[in-house]
Amino acid sequence: MARQNINDLLAFLVVARERSFTRAAAQLDVSQSALSHTIRALEERLGLRLLTRTTRSVAPTEAGERLLRTVAPKLEEIDAELSALTELRDKPAGTVRITAAEHSAATILWPALATLLPRYPDIKVEVNIDYGFTDIVAERFDAGVRLGEQVAKDMIAVRIGPDFRMAVVGTPAYFAVHPKPAKPQDLVAHNCINIRLPTYGGIYAWEFEKRGRALRVRVDGQLVFNNITLRMNAVLAGLGLAYLPEDQVQAHLADGRLIRVLADWCAPFSGYHLYYPSRRQLTPAFAVLVAALRYRG
């Protein structure tokens, strides 16, 4: 009885999702009459009507919707675990899809992948650069990368990088004709290279903090970019001040091409974290990648 219940539940889930016996029967490779008999038998055993049928449509009843919400995730979890078992082999294999922003991809993901992938030739990794808060479940990503403070509480989060700071920088030529800002509010008088981030609803307000006092300053200027490379090119060309990750400008500060200001106002951000659904059963390939990325500092 239990085995038949599971098979019948799987049939119900397909019909409820497809809203059609015709499409569901084709997907399950059974006849429509056999599928209809399966659903009727399940309803009779439960003593509840699960689907409302008309000549033109099929829709779950209230009881059917409840069954769909509660049972579908559990069956999907079972299916995922069975899939993971079939992937077990001497060498982890398969594709891992990750969504991340440019900075974390360049400074955290890439160095790890450059070391890992030659050792595991059967693992493939797809990295999608995206500055939005991508729904990794809906978009079928295995994981995403965000700052620790941005990870949803229902996700498993693995720290993969240290805390880091941002830096406000400009060229010596720029500061030769513009006074250095003494406080964040002074930036409104400067030509600043703006950042467009969808996660902040458009133009990003530069973030500062000192002695527990937090400030967000909306700056203005001639240029707006949504990536680090172009902001770096613009600031090195003397076209304004830029707000960039500290590690990206250190070499230019050391050789004098850039000058840093407001350093005492740039507090650390929480480091990058790899996050993925808490119910996820790790495939061998994904487990290897997580182990390689895990921050041990």
Side-chain angles (χ1 to χ4, degrees):
M1 179 65 73
R3 180 179 302 172
Q4 185 172 4
N5 278 337
I6 291 175
N7 291 335
D8 292 354
L9 282 171
L10 289 171
F12 161 74
L13 293 177
V14 176
V15 175
R17 285 172 171 167
E18 294 293 330
R19 303 294 179 107
S20 165
F21 275 87
T22 302
R23 292 194 296 271
Q27 185 173 328
L28 294 168
D29 197 23
V30 298
S31 67
Q32 291 186 51
S33 60
L35 182 57
S36 180
H37 175 76
T38 296
I39 299 302
R40 281 199 301 271
L42 176 62
E43 289 176 328
E44 288 174 4
R45 287 200 302 276
L46 295 175
L48 292 167
R49 180 171 289 279
L50 301 175
L51 296 169
T52 300
R53 308 166 179 82
T54 69
T55 56
R56 294 185 177 181
S57 66
V58 177
T61 63
E62 182 180 354
E65 286 285 1
R66 178 175 175 180
L67 192 62
L68 190 63
R69 288 194 307 271
T70 57
V71 173
K74 295 179 174 62
L75 291 177
E76 289 171 353
E77 190 171 344
I78 292 171
D79 186 59
E81 292 188 11
L82 291 175
S83 297
L85 286 175
T86 63
E87 292 179 13
L88 286 174
R89 58 174 77 178
D90 292 338
K91 294 182 178 180
T95 299
V96 179
R97 299 185 69 234
I98 302 173
T99 177
E102 179 188 12
H103 183 234
S104 59
T107 62
I108 305 292
L109 295 183
W110 171 242
L113 293 176
T115 301
L116 178 73
L117 294 184
R119 292 161 42 207
Y120 295 95
D122 294 325
I123 294 179
K124 298 179 180 180
V125 180
E126 176 184 340
V127 178
N128 184 68
I129 303 300
D130 186 358
Y131 287 92
F133 284 158
T134 302
D135 184 336
I136 61 172
V137 176
E139 299 298 326
R140 298 186 179 279
F141 285 101
D142 294 288
V145 178
R146 291 183 190 170
L147 296 176
E149 62 199 28
Q150 297 172 339
V151 177
K153 296 187 182 302
D154 61 344
M155 293 282 173
I156 291 178
V158 177
R159 189 180 183 95
I160 60 174
D163 289 352
F164 70 92
R165 300 202 306 162
M166 299 295 286
V168 179
V169 293
T171 61
Y174 177 87
F175 286 122
V177 294
H178 298 88
K180 293 179 181 179
K183 55 185 182 301
Q185 295 91 329
D186 295 341
L187 291 170
V188 298
H190 283 265
N191 193 6
C192 294
I193 301 160
N194 253 313
I195 313 163
R196 183 176 294 279
L197 294 178
T199 53
Y200 289 88
I203 301 298
Y204 171 72
W206 297 7
E207 297 182 67
F208 300 96
E209 183 178 337
K210 185 176 182 180
R211 299 192 190 97
R213 181 190 176 194
L215 288 176
R216 293 170 63 88
V217 180
R218 295 201 173 275
V219 299
D220 194 16
Q222 295 176 283
L223 292 168
V224 180
F225 297 115
N226 69 343
N227 65 48
I228 291 174
T229 301
L230 291 175
R231 281 160 35 218
M232 182 70 77
N233 290 343
V235 71
L236 288 172
L239 296 178
L241 300 184
Y243 185 75
L244 291 161
E246 185 179 60
D247 62 310
Q248 301 293 288
V249 298
Q250 283 177 340
H252 298 308
L253 294 173
D255 65 17
R257 295 186 68 191
L258 292 176
I259 295 172
R260 183 174 188 175
V261 294
L262 302 175
D264 56 334
W265 276 95
C266 293
F269 284 90
S270 59
Y272 289 117
H273 287 64
L274 186 80
Y275 67 96
Y276 52 93
S278 59
R279 291 180 300 174
R280 177 185 172 83
Q281 174 64 42
L282 303 188
T283 65
F286 188 74
V288 165
L289 183 59
V290 172
L293 287 169
R294 189 182 299 274
Y295 179 64
R296 296 174 176 84

